[in-house]
Amino acid sequence: MVIRAHSGRRPGDSGTRDAILAAARRQFAELGYDRTSMRQVAIEAGVDPTLVSHFHGSKKQLFLAVVELPFQPAKVLPMLLAGDRQKIGARLARFALSVLESEQGRSRMIGLIRAATSEPAAAEVIRELITRELLIPLAEGIGSDDAAYRASLVASQIVGMAMARYIVAVEPLASRDPASVADAIAPTLQHYLTDDLSPHRS
Amino acid sequence: MVIRAHSGRRPGDSGTRDAILAAARRQFAELGYDRTSMRQVAIEAGVDPTLVSHFHGSKKQLFLAVVELPFQPAKVLPMLLAGDRQKIGARLARFALSVLESEQGRSRMIGLIRAATSEPAAAEVIRELITRELLIPLAEGIGSDDAAYRASLVASQIVGMAMARYIVAVEPLASRDPASVADAIAPTLQHYLTDDLSPHRS
């Protein structure tokens, strides 16, 4: 690695922000949240360390600036939610598997899970991100009673699938074809989205 | 912390193994897999570093010696699997929530998830552990077609619940009462255990 400490970029240089974000994105992805430091990000970006906090505040805020979901909910959710309401579970399940089967999608999802488990500050950032970008829009799309709770139950199964199949890789789940796995979890997601969730109490 | 480097214990001392295991258990739980080192375990245990590898081989083997599920499957599974087959999902869901609601159970579960996400070597140890201790006995208890796959699907929802409710703490899932959450996931676990998992293909 070539270390360019303090290359002479000044505050306000148009490239400074981008260089910091690129370095942060790379280090958070490669090292995880707790082993990434503002100082090493500055060194890789070739800027003075004070500029990193000048532009981005804390490490937590820097993480928030670069963390991304593995897809764009605003584009995807309307398509998934349109059409037959009794088949949303199947559409969501197929979509989740397609994201997790793609290399980029899987590596982002694993990055999110790794960061969330490593430190409470990172978990908080990820909670804010998925609540704002995913759970609230999904709940609005569902539009039924208790929609936010339903959305969070859906998320629990999808995250659990990512853990079990791709991170821990338990068998035979890890080697089953994606279409079969989508078939298996589709009724689960449908249940969370449209069923009565506490039938024997109602 | 009092550091007792090389206290004079000799190989074969009855306490040496136990001291190493206790130190390893504490450090893996507190620091996570990748920040725990054989050397620091030796220092905390007050033994010569060579004794750690003498007794336990690699760091991975040392981890395997101390990692534990948050409950004893041999005691619990027979009770959960006995009785009405159509209510296994409900019994498993209530049991999973009761483990995750206890402080010790939750902290062990989080420790397992944290270790599994931190490094492939730790994930492999945890895969071996849950396959041998949990998934195979559960599959044998289910005894139906594709039982191992069914057991791994059950594990995916329980792990996902641990992540979403206790680690990322998404709302309103995180603050819902445990009994309601058990009600919500019971049909999911039942589906994985006893339903046809690819109905439109059969």
PDB file of all heavy atoms in Angstrom, chain B residues 10-29:
ATOM      1  N   ARG B  10       3.389 -26.343  35.914  1.00  0.00           N
ATOM      2  CA  ARG B  10       4.037 -27.241  34.967  1.00  0.00           C
ATOM      3  C   ARG B  10       2.977 -27.965  34.151  1.00  0.00           C
ATOM      4  O   ARG B  10       1.837 -28.124  34.601  1.00  0.00           O
ATOM      5  CB  ARG B  10       4.891 -28.268  35.723  1.00  0.00           C
ATOM      6  CG  ARG B  10       6.130 -27.681  36.379  1.00  0.00           C
ATOM      7  CD  ARG B  10       6.928 -28.760  37.086  1.00  0.00           C
ATOM      8  NE  ARG B  10       6.135 -29.489  38.061  1.00  0.00           N
ATOM      9  CZ  ARG B  10       5.896 -29.048  39.309  1.00  0.00           C
ATOM     10  NH1 ARG B  10       6.391 -27.892  39.704  1.00  0.00           N
ATOM     11  NH2 ARG B  10       5.178 -29.750  40.133  1.00  0.00           N
ATOM     12  N   PRO B  11       3.403 -28.436  32.930  1.00  0.00           N
ATOM     13  CA  PRO B  11       2.475 -29.238  32.139  1.00  0.00           C
ATOM     14  C   PRO B  11       1.980 -30.395  32.988  1.00  0.00           C
ATOM     15  O   PRO B  11       2.767 -31.003  33.696  1.00  0.00           O
ATOM     16  CB  PRO B  11       3.324 -29.752  30.975  1.00  0.00           C
ATOM     17  CG  PRO B  11       4.611 -29.007  31.023  1.00  0.00           C
ATOM     18  CD  PRO B  11       4.732 -28.349  32.348  1.00  0.00           C
ATOM     19  N   GLY B  12       0.714 -30.673  32.946  1.00  0.00           N
ATOM     20  CA  GLY B  12       0.203 -31.775  33.726  1.00  0.00           C
ATOM     21  C   GLY B  12      -0.442 -31.315  35.013  1.00  0.00           C
ATOM     22  O   GLY B  12      -1.250 -32.024  35.585  1.00  0.00           O
ATOM     23  N   ASP B  13      -0.105 -30.102  35.489  1.00  0.00           N
ATOM     24  CA  ASP B  13      -0.813 -29.573  36.654  1.00  0.00           C
ATOM     25  C   ASP B  13      -2.305 -29.640  36.361  1.00  0.00           C
ATOM     26  O   ASP B  13      -2.747 -29.229  35.294  1.00  0.00           O
ATOM     27  CB  ASP B  13      -0.438 -28.110  36.889  1.00  0.00           C
ATOM     28  CG  ASP B  13       0.807 -27.975  37.744  1.00  0.00           C
ATOM     29  OD1 ASP B  13       1.425 -29.008  38.076  1.00  0.00           O
ATOM     30  OD2 ASP B  13       1.144 -26.827  38.074  1.00  0.00           O
ATOM     31  N   SER B  14      -3.062 -30.111  37.338  1.00  0.00           N
ATOM     32  CA  SER B  14      -4.484 -30.325  37.049  1.00  0.00           C
ATOM     33  C   SER B  14      -5.201 -29.017  36.748  1.00  0.00           C
ATOM     34  O   SER B  14      -6.160 -28.982  35.999  1.00  0.00           O
ATOM     35  CB  SER B  14      -5.151 -31.028  38.235  1.00  0.00           C
ATOM     36  OG  SER B  14      -5.140 -30.158  39.354  1.00  0.00           O
ATOM     37  N   GLY B  15      -4.711 -27.914  37.332  1.00  0.00           N
ATOM     38  CA  GLY B  15      -5.405 -26.647  37.120  1.00  0.00           C
ATOM     39  C   GLY B  15      -5.073 -25.952  35.811  1.00  0.00           C
ATOM     40  O   GLY B  15      -5.763 -25.018  35.424  1.00  0.00           O
ATOM     41  N   THR B  16      -4.017 -26.394  35.131  1.00  0.00           N
ATOM     42  CA  THR B  16      -3.538 -25.663  33.962  1.00  0.00           C
ATOM     43  C   THR B  16      -4.576 -25.599  32.844  1.00  0.00           C
ATOM     44  O   THR B  16      -4.914 -24.537  32.329  1.00  0.00           O
ATOM     45  CB  THR B  16      -2.249 -26.313  33.408  1.00  0.00           C
ATOM     46  OG1 THR B  16      -1.295 -26.325  34.459  1.00  0.00           O
ATOM     47  CG2 THR B  16      -1.716 -25.537  32.229  1.00  0.00           C
ATOM     48  N   ARG B  17      -5.096 -26.771  32.510  1.00  0.00           N
ATOM     49  CA  ARG B  17      -6.107 -26.839  31.466  1.00  0.00           C
ATOM     50  C   ARG B  17      -7.306 -25.941  31.798  1.00  0.00           C
ATOM     51  O   ARG B  17      -7.787 -25.185  30.955  1.00  0.00           O
ATOM     52  CB  ARG B  17      -6.649 -28.272  31.371  1.00  0.00           C
ATOM     53  CG  ARG B  17      -6.191 -29.017  30.159  1.00  0.00           C
ATOM     54  CD  ARG B  17      -6.744 -30.449  30.253  1.00  0.00           C
ATOM     55  NE  ARG B  17      -6.177 -31.291  29.246  1.00  0.00           N
ATOM     56  CZ  ARG B  17      -6.567 -31.291  27.976  1.00  0.00           C
ATOM     57  NH1 ARG B  17      -7.548 -30.534  27.566  1.00  0.00           N
ATOM     58  NH2 ARG B  17      -5.983 -32.075  27.102  1.00  0.00           N
ATOM     59  N   ASP B  18      -7.771 -26.075  33.032  1.00  0.00           N
ATOM     60  CA  ASP B  18      -8.946 -25.291  33.441  1.00  0.00           C
ATOM     61  C   ASP B  18      -8.665 -23.800  33.385  1.00  0.00           C
ATOM     62  O   ASP B  18      -9.521 -23.014  32.985  1.00  0.00           O
ATOM     63  CB  ASP B  18      -9.377 -25.665  34.866  1.00  0.00           C
ATOM     64  CG  ASP B  18     -10.007 -27.052  34.903  1.00  0.00           C
ATOM     65  OD1 ASP B  18     -10.293 -27.601  33.813  1.00  0.00           O
ATOM     66  OD2 ASP B  18     -10.202 -27.572  36.017  1.00  0.00           O
ATOM     67  N   ALA B  19      -7.453 -23.411  33.816  1.00  0.00           N
ATOM     68  CA  ALA B  19      -7.106 -21.990  33.810  1.00  0.00           C
ATOM     69  C   ALA B  19      -7.064 -21.449  32.390  1.00  0.00           C
ATOM     70  O   ALA B  19      -7.530 -20.333  32.109  1.00  0.00           O
ATOM     71  CB  ALA B  19      -5.754 -21.781  34.502  1.00  0.00           C
ATOM     72  N   ILE B  20      -6.534 -22.257  31.482  1.00  0.00           N
ATOM     73  CA  ILE B  20      -6.487 -21.837  30.070  1.00  0.00           C
ATOM     74  C   ILE B  20      -7.904 -21.704  29.519  1.00  0.00           C
ATOM     75  O   ILE B  20      -8.248 -20.717  28.864  1.00  0.00           O
ATOM     76  CB  ILE B  20      -5.679 -22.853  29.225  1.00  0.00           C
ATOM     77  CG1 ILE B  20      -4.198 -22.819  29.626  1.00  0.00           C
ATOM     78  CG2 ILE B  20      -5.833 -22.554  27.731  1.00  0.00           C
ATOM     79  CD1 ILE B  20      -3.362 -23.948  29.012  1.00  0.00           C
ATOM     80  N   LEU B  21      -8.743 -22.697  29.811  1.00  0.00           N
ATOM     81  CA  LEU B  21     -10.112 -22.659  29.284  1.00  0.00           C
ATOM     82  C   LEU B  21     -10.886 -21.461  29.838  1.00  0.00           C
ATOM     83  O   LEU B  21     -11.626 -20.796  29.111  1.00  0.00           O
ATOM     84  CB  LEU B  21     -10.848 -23.965  29.603  1.00  0.00           C
ATOM     85  CG  LEU B  21     -10.337 -25.198  28.842  1.00  0.00           C
ATOM     86  CD1 LEU B  21     -11.075 -26.447  29.315  1.00  0.00           C
ATOM     87  CD2 LEU B  21     -10.505 -25.025  27.329  1.00  0.00           C
ATOM     88  N   ALA B  22     -10.690 -21.195  31.143  1.00  0.00           N
ATOM     89  CA  ALA B  22     -11.412 -20.067  31.743  1.00  0.00           C
ATOM     90  C   ALA B  22     -10.982 -18.753  31.109  1.00  0.00           C
ATOM     91  O   ALA B  22     -11.811 -17.892  30.793  1.00  0.00           O
ATOM     92  CB  ALA B  22     -11.181 -20.036  33.262  1.00  0.00           C
ATOM     93  N   ALA B  23      -9.681 -18.594  30.892  1.00  0.00           N
ATOM     94  CA  ALA B  23      -9.180 -17.367  30.281  1.00  0.00           C
ATOM     95  C   ALA B  23      -9.672 -17.242  28.836  1.00  0.00           C
ATOM     96  O   ALA B  23     -10.076 -16.160  28.387  1.00  0.00           O
ATOM     97  CB  ALA B  23      -7.653 -17.340  30.324  1.00  0.00           C
ATOM     98  N   ALA B  24      -9.646 -18.366  28.127  1.00  0.00           N
ATOM     99  CA  ALA B  24     -10.094 -18.351  26.727  1.00  0.00           C
ATOM    100  C   ALA B  24     -11.576 -18.005  26.646  1.00  0.00           C
ATOM    101  O   ALA B  24     -12.000 -17.190  25.819  1.00  0.00           O
ATOM    102  CB  ALA B  24      -9.842 -19.713  26.081  1.00  0.00           C
ATOM    103  N   ARG B  25     -12.369 -18.600  27.539  1.00  0.00           N
ATOM    104  CA  ARG B  25     -13.813 -18.359  27.550  1.00  0.00           C
ATOM    105  C   ARG B  25     -14.075 -16.862  27.756  1.00  0.00           C
ATOM    106  O   ARG B  25     -14.872 -16.244  27.055  1.00  0.00           O
ATOM    107  CB  ARG B  25     -14.439 -19.191  28.669  1.00  0.00           C
ATOM    108  CG  ARG B  25     -15.920 -19.415  28.540  1.00  0.00           C
ATOM    109  CD  ARG B  25     -16.404 -20.461  29.533  1.00  0.00           C
ATOM    110  NE  ARG B  25     -16.148 -21.823  29.105  1.00  0.00           N
ATOM    111  CZ  ARG B  25     -15.440 -22.735  29.765  1.00  0.00           C
ATOM    112  NH1 ARG B  25     -14.900 -22.423  30.927  1.00  0.00           N
ATOM    113  NH2 ARG B  25     -15.274 -23.947  29.284  1.00  0.00           N
ATOM    114  N   ARG B  26     -13.365 -16.296  28.733  1.00  0.00           N
ATOM    115  CA  ARG B  26     -13.570 -14.885  29.039  1.00  0.00           C
ATOM    116  C   ARG B  26     -13.137 -13.987  27.876  1.00  0.00           C
ATOM    117  O   ARG B  26     -13.855 -13.077  27.479  1.00  0.00           O
ATOM    118  CB  ARG B  26     -12.788 -14.515  30.308  1.00  0.00           C
ATOM    119  CG  ARG B  26     -13.304 -13.280  31.016  1.00  0.00           C
ATOM    120  CD  ARG B  26     -12.288 -12.700  31.980  1.00  0.00           C
ATOM    121  NE  ARG B  26     -11.061 -12.279  31.309  1.00  0.00           N
ATOM    122  CZ  ARG B  26     -10.942 -11.179  30.580  1.00  0.00           C
ATOM    123  NH1 ARG B  26     -11.964 -10.378  30.434  1.00  0.00           N
ATOM    124  NH2 ARG B  26      -9.804 -10.883  29.985  1.00  0.00           N
ATOM    125  N   GLN B  27     -11.978 -14.293  27.296  1.00  0.00           N
ATOM    126  CA  GLN B  27     -11.469 -13.405  26.245  1.00  0.00           C
ATOM    127  C   GLN B  27     -12.276 -13.521  24.946  1.00  0.00           C
ATOM    128  O   GLN B  27     -12.555 -12.514  24.304  1.00  0.00           O
ATOM    129  CB  GLN B  27      -9.979 -13.664  25.983  1.00  0.00           C
ATOM    130  CG  GLN B  27      -9.124 -13.211  27.164  1.00  0.00           C
ATOM    131  CD  GLN B  27      -7.636 -13.146  26.826  1.00  0.00           C
ATOM    132  OE1 GLN B  27      -7.238 -12.993  25.684  1.00  0.00           O
ATOM    133  NE2 GLN B  27      -6.807 -13.271  27.856  1.00  0.00           N
ATOM    134  N   PHE B  28     -12.657 -14.743  24.559  1.00  0.00           N
ATOM    135  CA  PHE B  28     -13.481 -14.871  23.356  1.00  0.00           C
ATOM    136  C   PHE B  28     -14.799 -14.125  23.533  1.00  0.00           C
ATOM    137  O   PHE B  28     -15.281 -13.475  22.621  1.00  0.00           O
ATOM    138  CB  PHE B  28     -13.758 -16.343  23.026  1.00  0.00           C
ATOM    139  CG  PHE B  28     -12.624 -17.051  22.338  1.00  0.00           C
ATOM    140  CD1 PHE B  28     -12.071 -18.198  22.867  1.00  0.00           C
ATOM    141  CD2 PHE B  28     -12.105 -16.563  21.138  1.00  0.00           C
ATOM    142  CE1 PHE B  28     -11.024 -18.862  22.233  1.00  0.00           C
ATOM    143  CE2 PHE B  28     -11.059 -17.217  20.488  1.00  0.00           C
ATOM    144  CZ  PHE B  28     -10.516 -18.372  21.040  1.00  0.00           C
ATOM    145  N   ALA B  29     -15.387 -14.229  24.734  1.00  0.00           N
ATOM    146  CA  ALA B  29     -16.677 -13.569  24.967  1.00  0.00           C
ATOM    147  C   ALA B  29     -16.525 -12.056  24.963  1.00  0.00           C
ATOM    148  O   ALA B  29     -17.369 -11.337  24.430  1.00  0.00           O
ATOM    149  CB  ALA B  29     -17.273 -14.034  26.300  1.00  0.00           C
TER     150      ALA B  29
END
